[in-house]
Amino acid sequence: MDAALLPATASTASTALLTDRYELTMLQAALRSGAGRRRSVFEVFTRRLPEGRRYGVTAGTGRILDAVETFRFTSPQLDWLSDQRVVDEPTLSWLANYRFTGDIRGYGEGECYFPGSPLLVVEGSFAEAVILETVILSILNYDSAIAAAASRMSAAAGTRPLIEMGARRAHEQAAVSASRAAYVAGFSATSDLQAGFRYGIPTAGTSAHAFTLLHDSERDAFTAQIESMGRGTTLLIDTYDLAEAVRTAIDVAGPELGAVRIDSGDLLMLAHRVRRQLDELGAEKTRITVTSDLDEYAIAALGSAPVDGYGVGTSLVTGSGQPTCAMVYKLVARAASDDPKAPLVPVAKRSAGAKSSRGGRKWGARRLDAEGVAEAEVIGTGPVPQDLADRQLQIPLVQAGEIVGREPLSAARERHLRSREQLPMSATQLSKGDPVIPSEYVTRSGHAG
């Protein structure tokens, strides 16, 4: 079975306390008043893209499904909540039996999004839906930020492969999530073995400068690596003198050497020098990989260089300067009463400034022009117009508490590539700009969904 299809294992820790205290205090008050039983619709969206970004990328959906599945309160957790007097006994009793039994729909993982896109719609009682807010946002905000950066990098790299190698630049668990998000958005491998083990992502890596420094000479280090890993390995060549290292590498490995890696200096100039030297030594098929604090701009600048692949770390796992997506989780509709058949009433925040929202359960669709290029993100309530019926972006993820939307990461990768290819060509420009397509709203009075 594809690793991405595996559910969270029985040993996976509960996600129930990955939440803010006020989620549980709201829950207590809503249960006491009776309003907690009202059918409610929450929606995840962002009011704007990070400054200068032209599109966003949905990522973390599969992790959300795992988090919802393991959102269970254990006895030690309940005891702690009681000791800390976070909530009262009736609420603790309710939490002890918590299982999400509602529905979740959302944009497929890898799908591009724009301001206002209804990325996730969570429907259930207020009580069972509200306490999922924090964990859902923490996953979507981080993973989507990393995926957006990764998408820009993979677009800049073109057909050249990218290796994610940022584990040492992030929290150890965030690094695993970053590997996954990067893979969704076009990276081909990761250096993080936990990401490979958990999600089935291809792993890559050979040696660091410490391995060369360990040996009495660079020749000894190269010989040891070749004897251990074979001639197809990648030798790190910038520990001492670059030109001498290339000569030694080919002398030891022969022209069958798989690749060399450059990790410092003027990468554009050095790549040309190394390529010329490798060709002169008969190693025309030996590839060149470059690393060293790369981001999408550096990758684009190396587009004309004789480079065969990139390794990216710090910039990727920090979202290339945009480490979050400012997504919010807002109540957009709730039942008129706690009667299961009560109609939904649209609700919305009407505060001054930029934090207002639009009420009603929403759908999202992407309108294409005659050439198949996206021209608008259409967001609406009520019936979907017939001309957009086959362009809807939300898919079922959870139905009546059962996970129905699990898919392999390969499906998310393919979805992202298709989605990005449908955007106008200017979407992948690295210069700052507005969202590449506008968000249009279709409002039908009286429809809450």
Side-chain angles (χ1 to χ4, degrees):
M1 174 181 275
D2 189 304
L5 286 174
L6 293 173
T9 64
S11 61
T12 301
S14 164
T15 54
L17 290 187
L18 296 176
T19 191
D20 291 303
R21 177 174 174 136
Y22 81 165
E23 308 290 7
L24 299 191
T25 54
M26 278 194 292
L27 169 69
Q28 175 179 304
L31 290 175
R32 178 171 294 188
S33 73
R37 294 190 294 273
R38 289 187 177 188
R39 184 161 61 104
S40 299
V41 180
F42 287 86
E43 182 180 291
V44 176
F45 63 94
T46 184
R47 297 182 176 93
R48 57 193 171 276
L49 297 179
E51 183 181 0
R53 295 288 172 89
R54 297 169 185 258
Y55 64 96
V57 180
T58 308
T61 310
R63 294 209 308 119
I64 286 174
L65 298 182
D66 291 342
V68 170
E69 191 170 56
T70 55
F71 204 93
R72 308 281 189 270
F73 288 86
T74 65
S75 294
Q77 289 173 334
L78 293 168
D79 289 343
W80 181 81
L81 291 172
S82 177
D83 291 343
Q84 297 297 311
R85 298 184 179 180
V86 175
V87 290
D88 59 19
E89 288 301 322
T91 306
L92 289 170
S93 297
W94 188 90
L95 292 173
N97 298 307
Y98 178 82
R99 300 291 186 273
F100 181 72
T101 63
D103 299 328
I104 300 178
R105 293 178 59 83
Y107 278 35
E109 187 154 20
E111 185 64 64
C112 295
Y113 71 85
F114 297 90
S117 296
L119 299 177
L120 207 69
V121 177
V122 181
E123 183 168 354
S125 71
F126 177 87
E128 65 178 340
V130 71
I131 60 175
L132 295 177
E133 175 181 5
T134 302
V135 69
I136 284 176
L137 286 179
S138 79
I139 293 172
L140 272 182
N141 267 310
Y142 181 72
D143 290 32
S144 297
I146 304 309
S151 180
R152 287 160 61 87
M153 293 173 190
S154 64
T159 60
R160 296 172 178 175
L162 290 153
I163 301 171
E164 183 282 313
M165 45 198 307
R168 63 192 63 191
R169 298 291 188 260
H171 183 280
E172 66 273 15
Q173 294 304 322
V176 178
S177 302
S179 297
R180 184 185 181 283
Y183 189 66
V184 165
F187 275 58
S188 57
T190 179
S191 66
D192 193 306
L193 293 180
Q194 181 65 15
F197 173 72
R198 185 178 299 174
Y199 297 119
I201 302 171
T203 60
T206 52
S207 66
H209 292 104
F211 182 78
T212 301
L213 295 169
L214 169 68
H215 292 81
D216 294 334
S217 69
E218 196 166 48
R219 177 176 293 273
D220 289 347
F222 289 172
T223 299
Q225 185 171 329
I226 294 295
E227 290 179 349
S228 173
M229 303 178 194
R231 297 176 188 274
T233 192
T234 299
L235 296 178
L236 180 58
I237 58 172
D238 69 334
T239 305
Y240 304 119
D241 180 84
L242 195 71
E244 181 61 30
V246 173
R247 285 190 290 270
T248 301
I250 302 305
D251 189 41
V252 171
E256 298 82 17
L257 177 63
V260 295
R261 178 164 73 96
I262 309 171
D263 187 51
S264 58
D266 184 334
L267 297 179
L268 179 61
M269 177 186 69
L270 296 178
H272 280 283
R273 288 182 179 177
V274 169
R275 181 73 272 159
R276 183 170 62 249
Q277 188 178 8
L278 287 170
D279 292 347
E280 290 171 351
L281 293 170
E284 292 92 351
K285 295 184 179 179
T286 298
R287 303 179 307 279
I288 298 174
T289 296
V290 294
T291 53
S292 184
D293 293 328
L294 298 178
D295 60 13
E296 60 265 50
Y297 302 100
I299 291 169
L302 290 166
S304 63
V307 169
D308 300 285
Y310 308 92
V312 188
T314 303
S315 182
L316 177 70
V317 299
T318 56
S320 194
Q322 302 288 353
T324 186
C325 300
M327 292 178 185
V328 294
Y329 185 96
K330 295 298 181 183
L331 182 67
V332 295
R334 49 86 174 165
S337 70
D338 59 8
D339 184 336
K341 297 181 180 179
L344 287 173
V345 177
V347 294
K349 182 178 179 180
R350 297 299 184 195
S351 60
K355 286 195 172 184
S356 61
S357 58
R358 296 171 184 262
R361 185 206 290 120
K362 300 175 194 67
W363 46 263
R366 194 156 299 147
R367 190 172 66 239
L368 307 181
D369 66 14
E371 301 296 324
V373 178
E375 62 180 12
E377 187 86 343
V378 185
I379 302 158
T381 58
V384 180
Q386 188 172 356
D387 63 321
L388 293 173
D390 62 349
R391 299 301 309 159
Q392 294 184 73
L393 299 170
Q394 294 170 340
I395 59 176
L397 299 171
V398 180
Q399 292 181 340
E402 296 296 321
I403 307 295
V404 298
R406 276 204 177 90
E407 61 183 8
L409 279 182
S410 58
R413 281 169 62 84
E414 292 165 7
R415 182 182 292 112
H416 176 63
L417 183 60
R418 290 194 306 270
S419 179
R420 192 175 68 188
E421 286 179 341
Q422 286 182 341
L423 299 181
M425 292 180 65
S426 58
T428 55
Q429 291 179 348
L430 296 181
S431 56
K432 290 185 177 182
D434 295 328
V436 72
I437 59 174
S439 297
E440 298 179 0
Y441 290 89
V442 177
T443 302
R444 300 195 176 192
S445 179
H447 284 287

